[in-house]
Amino acid sequence: MAAPPSPVTRVVVENCAIATVDANDTEYARGHIVVAGNTIESVGPGAAPAGLTDVVRRVDGTGHLATPGLVNTHHHFYQWLTRGLAQNSNLFDWLVALYPTWARIDETMVYAAARGSLAMMVRGGVTTAMDHHYVFPRGAGDLLGAEIRAAREMGVRFSPTRGSMDRGASAGGLPPDFAVETTQAALSATEEAIDTHHDPSFGSMLRMGVAPCSPFSVSTELLRESAALARRKGVRLHTHGSETVEEEHFCKELFGMGPTDYFESTGWLGEDVWMAHCVHMNDADIEAFARTGTGVAHCPSSNARLGAGTARVPGMLRAGVPVGLGVDGTASNESGELHTELRNALLVHRLAGGEAALDVRQALRLGTYGGAQVLGRAQEIGSLEAGKLADLVLWRLDGLGHSTIADPVAALVLGAPAPVTLCLINGEPVVEDGRLLTADEDTIAREARAEARRLARIAAGAG
Ligand code: ZN
């Protein structure tokens, strides 16, 4: 006789406001969420259904707003060790200033940086993290493995991408030759990373992606071959696109066309592709993204920090382009948080486009469902609905920062960064009362500082 299935344990959250971010933007002023195992069993108004069995925990959410966990769609964890540098540079000058330091990273540094980046995001309500790692110095160890280990230990749902650069300065690219790989080495390592780590199953905690860095650091051959590899393996494609005016000039000079046309010519538009930034897009570019289902990782703070410009997100949303939010690397967004990007996105677009450009519910959608869409996981995460994975956040809104704002979504988006009372990832508590449960923040801070200093010493030639 087969053993009886192990009982599914339930966690019940009640008495909180709920913004489900489902297709109808359903909200409850006072509702309940029942989590069974790693999935959401029910969401609705009032108290949880009576007679539930195997309830291991009841959470009183009075004074709180429950939302889907935030989904980050663009990041570079290793930059946690090089924050606050090249403070007054545009993208190209900032990159040129930082490449020599980045070319000295190793596995221990990347592990410490990943822990810092992940802890900062998760403490602020991120339940799905993404990383775009594209610096692979020879002999530096297993850098991708280090960040995957960090995410697994912290219990975070993760979409790492194997990045690459093969167009060094001698081939007309921006990075110095010592910072790039050969085309073949990049492709082989990317294929190996997919074979080793990618889990395509429903509820997966790790989905790999393929992510050559940008048009000005990657050969046309690597772009084409990367797209073919990703499609052969059934994984998603990611890169930086249309970030600055300088990139547009670079593409026109080298390829005789703008970045979006160049991407289309290399097989890089499609519903399995999402790109970071997309700041300098004309109407035809936006139409091409909408027509092909290509997604956008919008990074308002990073774009502001580097003076890159304002992406036309309201126009993209009207056209039907999937848009999520990204922290971007913390060398260009030192805060390292995603929940503050909800507010920054709204403010940036109202500055550019007036008071109707983006509302608080659209901002919350960008950071949740929009992110799930661009990562190709909208069937699993991004909204609070029965059958989806239990990635959710309980934001405290009855404290000093928010108690006088009646609309909880407005409090979350427009108010001060809201404290996280509880964050569940895959049904497991990862943050309680603002503190990480799965790692020690003070240890992470200490180790990251030591590794940042070691990197600075080595880069200065003293290590
Ligand atoms: Zn980036």
Side-chain angles (χ1 to χ4, degrees):
M1 206 173 110
S6 56
V8 174
T9 56
R10 291 184 168 81
V11 173
V12 175
V13 181
E14 290 175 302
N15 305 321
C16 51
I18 301 173
T20 67
V21 197
D22 67 7
N24 302 313
D25 264 335
T26 305
E27 294 180 14
Y28 305 105
R30 196 176 181 84
H32 71 271
I33 303 165
V34 178
V35 171
N38 72 339
T39 56
I40 297 167
E41 189 172 64
S42 68
V43 183
L52 290 171
T53 58
D54 299 306
V55 175
V56 293
R57 185 173 181 189
R58 281 187 184 270
V59 178
D60 180 5
T62 301
H64 288 73
L65 169 68
T67 70
L70 303 182
V71 178
N72 187 43
T73 62
H74 186 66
H75 210 303
H76 312 287
F77 289 173
Y78 72 92
Q79 292 180 10
W80 191 256
L81 305 186
T82 59
R83 299 157 82 201
L85 304 176
Q87 293 173 18
N88 304 314
S89 302
N90 69 16
L91 176 72
F92 278 15
D93 294 342
W94 174 89
L95 285 168
V96 167
L98 288 167
Y99 282 136
T101 300
W102 292 344
R104 308 304 296 272
I105 57 173
D106 64 27
E107 186 176 328
T108 308
M109 291 173 190
V110 168
Y111 179 69
R115 299 220 315 149
S117 299
L118 286 161
M120 198 67 202
M121 283 189 291
V122 172
R123 209 180 58 161
V126 168
T127 54
T128 297
M130 177 277 176
D131 196 54
H132 182 184
H133 191 90
Y134 54 85
V135 184
F136 292 93
R138 264 188 290 280
D142 184 3
L143 305 187
L144 197 64
E147 60 179 55
I148 288 172
R149 182 158 49 94
R152 187 174 293 135
E153 288 168 354
M154 218 173 283
V156 187
R157 204 178 298 286
F158 193 28
S159 290
T161 59
R162 209 294 181 179
S164 50
M165 300 193 293
D166 72 339
R167 189 191 286 276
S170 65
L174 191 70
D177 287 351
F178 60 76
V180 306
E181 300 174 280
T182 65
T183 310
Q184 206 43 54
L187 286 166
S188 302
T190 304
E191 180 159 10
E192 189 186 335
I194 298 165
D195 291 342
T196 306
H197 301 293
H198 182 60
D199 172 8
S201 67
F202 183 92
S204 167
M205 293 297 285
L206 196 144
R207 295 265 176 87
M208 282 296 308
V210 174
C213 188
S214 63
F216 52 83
S217 61
V218 169
S219 69
T220 304
E221 182 192 359
L222 183 53
L223 270 182
R224 283 213 176 93
E225 291 300 318
S226 294
L229 171 65
R231 287 174 179 136
R232 198 167 78 241
K233 295 285 184 182
V235 303
R236 295 178 77 75
L237 286 150
H238 180 64
T239 191
H240 295 95
S242 304
E243 183 171 356
T244 64
V245 172
E246 290 80 10
E247 177 190 329
E248 197 175 348
H249 293 160
F250 180 96
C251 288
K252 286 193 166 146
E253 199 162 301
L254 246 76
F255 315 124
M257 58 187 110
T260 299
D261 290 337
Y262 177 58
F263 283 126
E264 184 147 41
S265 77
T266 52
W268 268 80
L269 295 188
E271 56 186 23
D272 55 355
V273 181
W274 86 105
M275 289 189 207
H277 306 307
C278 303
V279 172
H280 297 276
M281 303 241 293
N282 59 31
D283 290 349
D285 297 333
I286 292 175
E287 198 282 321
F289 270 54
R291 170 170 45 81
T292 57
T294 307
V296 171
H298 174 45
C299 307
S301 290
S302 173
N303 296 155
R305 159 75 155 86
L306 296 172
T310 307
R312 297 171 60 191
V313 168
M316 293 175 188
L317 295 175
R318 277 195 301 276
V321 176
V323 183
L325 291 180
V327 168
D328 203 0
T330 49
S332 65
N333 177 7
E334 278 78 358
S335 90
E337 297 182 311
L338 191 65
H339 61 321
T340 50
E341 296 300 286
L342 304 177
R343 181 171 190 264
N344 291 348
L346 182 140
L347 296 180
V348 159
H349 294 298
R350 288 198 178 179
L351 276 174
E355 73 280 8
L358 203 69
D359 67 31
V360 294
R361 284 165 176 81
Q362 287 175 302
L364 176 60
R365 178 169 289 275
L366 288 175
T368 53
Y369 189 83
Q373 271 186 305
V374 307
L375 295 185
R377 305 201 66 171
Q379 302 301 313
E380 301 167 276
I381 57 173
S383 58
L384 299 177
E385 298 180 75
K388 283 196 160 183
L389 297 165
D391 292 3
L392 63 91
V393 185
L394 212 50
W395 309 91
R396 185 179 170 206
L397 299 179
D398 62 357
L400 176 63
H402 308 86
S403 68
T404 52
I405 306 176
D407 176 350
V409 178
L412 177 68
V413 174
L414 297 177
V420 172
T421 295
L422 179 67
C423 173
L424 298 183
I425 304 180
N426 213 39
E428 297 291 331
V430 176
V431 177
E432 295 224 21
D433 296 326
R435 298 289 296 183
L436 269 178
L437 300 179
T438 50
D440 181 69
E441 289 175 28
D442 295 335
T443 304
I444 291 172
R446 196 172 55 246
E447 290 176 356
R449 183 172 58 184
E451 290 303 312
R453 288 178 175 175
R454 186 165 71 86
L455 175 59
R457 275 198 311 274
I458 292 172

